[in-house]
């Protein structure tokens, strides 16, 4: 869990360290203006004092409300490639509606063109096809999504995104799932199809690995089966060997996506071997980075505060452990009683 401020005034280091070039707080029910010097002096804890001096009030959480009160965001995101939208708890109506409103602003006013959700990678592929091509029904797609996203607020977001794409067919908003907790058969099939097209002679080698680990049905029972295995290393080894096989194929546009599918499968087996949040964070970070590079557009990373914070041991979309040449400017927004936007150094 993240390290929170305590009564002795110990601030969350990641919050203060991340503030470079200024920061912006959006208070849902908080202050409507930055606090005066006298008001700041009366606050001994540096975190409330920082929030009070940077916060701007929000007039509404209604997604289609006029964005006048969101204008302070514009100067904070002018050169960032990824904006992280955090939330203090999953499923809160007000936070979900506010984040929907922020997505609209970032898409319509700031040119962001992807939403990357704390949802399984394969479910993200299905939702992206709906948004771009109209395939499927959003209610059906959410029926077996992660529990936090099986709600009217997320359905409303997807419907709006699809309507936006219908109005802008040559400049669509894309969607990706960053997580690896429920990687479905879709990923195995995508990798298999790519190998069959590009290196059919290697298909038997791939099948020798995936026939052992591919889910035979619903993902829930498969997770339970795998977690019950006393020795998980052979399954991880199969996933990694399949990933390495794809990586060894000649580079082409299709290999990039196939390799990401293969990486997600590895992430699934590595995560469920330990249930370590750090494993999820690493794969989600890599997926956000991949999606940014794959689509070439600015991205919105929608996740809980735990998965969108900047600082150790947590990661944001571009953690400090990634090679700097692959990093892009990022911002993190953590939604609790307020939303804070911090420019990553």
């Amino acid at each position: 869990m993240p390290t929170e401020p305590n009564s002795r005034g110990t601030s969350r280091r990641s919050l203060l360290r991340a503030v470079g070039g200024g920061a912006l707080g959006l208070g849902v029910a908080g202050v409507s203006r930055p606090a005066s010097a006298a008001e700041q002096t009366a606050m001994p804890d540096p975190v409330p004092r920082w929030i009070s001096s940077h916060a701007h009030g929000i007039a509404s959480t209604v997604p289609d409300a006029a964005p006048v009160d969101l204008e302070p965001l514009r100067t904070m995101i002018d050169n960032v490639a990824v904006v992280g939208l955090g939330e203090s708890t999953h499923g809160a109506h007000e936070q979900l509606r506010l984040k929907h409103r922020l997505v609209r602003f970032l898409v319509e006013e700031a040119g962001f063109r992807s939403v990357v959700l704390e949802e399984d990678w394969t479910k993200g592929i299905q939702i992206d096809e709906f948004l771009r091509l109209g395939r499927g029904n959003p209610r059906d797609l959410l029926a077996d999504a992660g529990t936090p996203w099986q709600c009217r607020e997320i359905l409303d977001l997807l419907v709006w995104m699809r309507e936006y794409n219908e109005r802008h067919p040559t400049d669509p908003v894309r969607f990706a799932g960053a997580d690896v907790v429920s990687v479905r058969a879709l990923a195995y099939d995508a990798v298999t199809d790519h190998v069959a097209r590009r290196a059919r002679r290697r298909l038997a080698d791939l099948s020798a690995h995936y026939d052992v680990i591919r889910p035979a049905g619903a993902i829930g029972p498969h997770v339970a089966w795998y977690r019950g295995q006393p020795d998980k290393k052979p399954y991880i080894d199969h996933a990694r060997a399949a990933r390495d096989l794809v990586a060894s194929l000649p580079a082409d546009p299709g290999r990039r996506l196939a390799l990401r599918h293969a990486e997600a499968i590895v992430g699934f087996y590595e995560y469920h071997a330990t249930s370590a949040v750090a494993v999820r964070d690493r794969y989600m970070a890599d997926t956000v980075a991949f999606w940014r590079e794959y689509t070439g557009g600015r991205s919105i990373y929608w996740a809980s505060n735990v998965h969108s914070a900047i600082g150790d041991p947590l990661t944001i979309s571009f953690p400090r452990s990634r090679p700097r040449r692959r990093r892009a400017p990022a911002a993190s927004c953590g939604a609790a009683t307020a939303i804070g936007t911090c420019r990553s150094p």
Side-chain angles (χ1 to χ4, degrees):
M1 296 298 291
T3 303
E4 300 295 342
N6 62 31
S7 58
R8 294 187 298 274
T10 303
S11 65
R12 182 175 180 172
R13 292 180 300 163
S14 62
L15 171 66
L16 300 181
R17 185 173 64 242
V19 180
L24 172 69
L26 299 178
V28 179
V31 298
S32 59
R33 57 171 176 77
S36 66
E39 290 170 330
Q40 292 180 42
T41 302
M43 300 177 185
D45 192 311
V47 174
R49 187 164 65 247
W50 182 91
I51 293 173
S52 296
S53 64
H54 293 82
H56 295 262
I58 286 181
S60 175
T61 61
V62 176
D64 61 357
V68 176
D69 54 325
L70 300 182
E71 282 299 320
L73 272 174
R74 194 182 298 274
T75 57
M76 292 303 305
I77 60 173
D78 57 355
N79 70 339
V80 299
V82 176
V83 165
L85 300 182
E87 55 193 43
S88 60
T89 184
H90 288 316
H93 171 74
E94 294 81 4
Q95 291 191 35
L96 292 174
R97 295 229 306 172
L98 175 57
K99 290 172 75 171
H100 179 171
R101 186 172 179 230
L102 289 169
V103 167
R104 291 196 185 200
F105 178 84
L106 292 169
V107 169
E108 294 180 326
E109 303 294 331
F112 283 74
R113 287 297 177 267
S114 283
V115 173
V116 185
L117 183 67
E118 183 193 330
E119 170 57 285
D120 175 65
W121 164 254
T122 49
K123 177 55 63 177
I125 294 295
Q126 294 176 323
I127 292 175
D128 187 58
E129 289 187 349
F130 163 71
L131 296 178
R132 292 187 297 111
L133 307 172
R135 293 177 183 170
N137 181 291
R139 289 181 180 273
D140 295 338
L141 291 173
L142 292 178
D144 64 345
T147 302
W149 320 123
Q150 297 179 24
C151 59
R152 180 54 186 261
E153 292 81 4
I154 297 299
L155 176 63
D156 290 344
L157 172 69
L158 297 185
V159 169
W160 175 81
M161 292 175 69
R162 175 58 187 161
E163 291 173 348
Y164 180 92
N165 287 349
E166 289 175 333
R167 296 193 303 270
H168 305 86
T170 62
D171 187 25
V173 180
R174 304 291 301 272
F175 189 97
D179 215 338
V180 294
V181 296
S182 304
V183 179
R184 297 163 172 83
L186 182 157
Y188 301 78
D189 294 343
V191 175
T192 301
D193 290 346
H194 177 75
V195 173
R197 290 193 308 270
R198 305 301 298 177
R200 195 166 189 84
R201 60 185 175 79
R202 305 294 305 277
L203 194 55
D205 296 334
L206 181 72
S207 297
H209 299 299
Y210 278 174
D211 286 351
V212 179
I213 62 176
R214 184 184 186 278
I219 193 62
H222 183 73
V223 171
W225 165 80
Y226 175 57
R227 287 190 168 185
Q229 301 305 304
D231 183 7
K232 297 178 176 59
K233 185 177 184 299
Y235 304 100
I236 297 173
D237 289 344
H238 278 299
R240 289 173 176 170
R243 185 264 321 276
D244 293 345
L245 186 156
V246 176
S248 71
L249 299 180
D252 63 39
R255 192 191 71 164
R256 295 179 65 194
L257 190 57
L259 186 56
R260 195 67 225 160
H261 282 298
E263 291 281 8
I265 294 168
V266 175
F268 172 88
Y269 284 96
E270 289 183 349
Y271 168 67
H272 285 292
T274 64
S275 296
V277 174
V279 175
R280 287 180 64 200
D281 275 346
R282 175 163 54 87
Y283 277 96
M284 287 194 286
D286 285 344
T287 300
V288 173
F290 163 81
W291 196 253
R292 154 71 181 159
E293 295 163 2
Y294 181 71
T295 63
R298 305 170 81 188
S299 297
I300 303 161
Y301 175 44
W302 177 316
S304 68
N305 288 352
V306 171
H307 300 300
S308 58
I310 306 175
D312 299 327
L314 306 177
T315 58
I316 191 179
S317 43
F318 295 88
R320 300 176 190 279
S321 59
R322 291 184 63 83
R324 180 164 292 276
R325 64 181 177 82
R326 297 188 62 191
R327 290 183 61 193
S332 174
C333 307
T337 55
I339 292 181
T341 305
C342 304
R343 179 168 296 151
S344 174

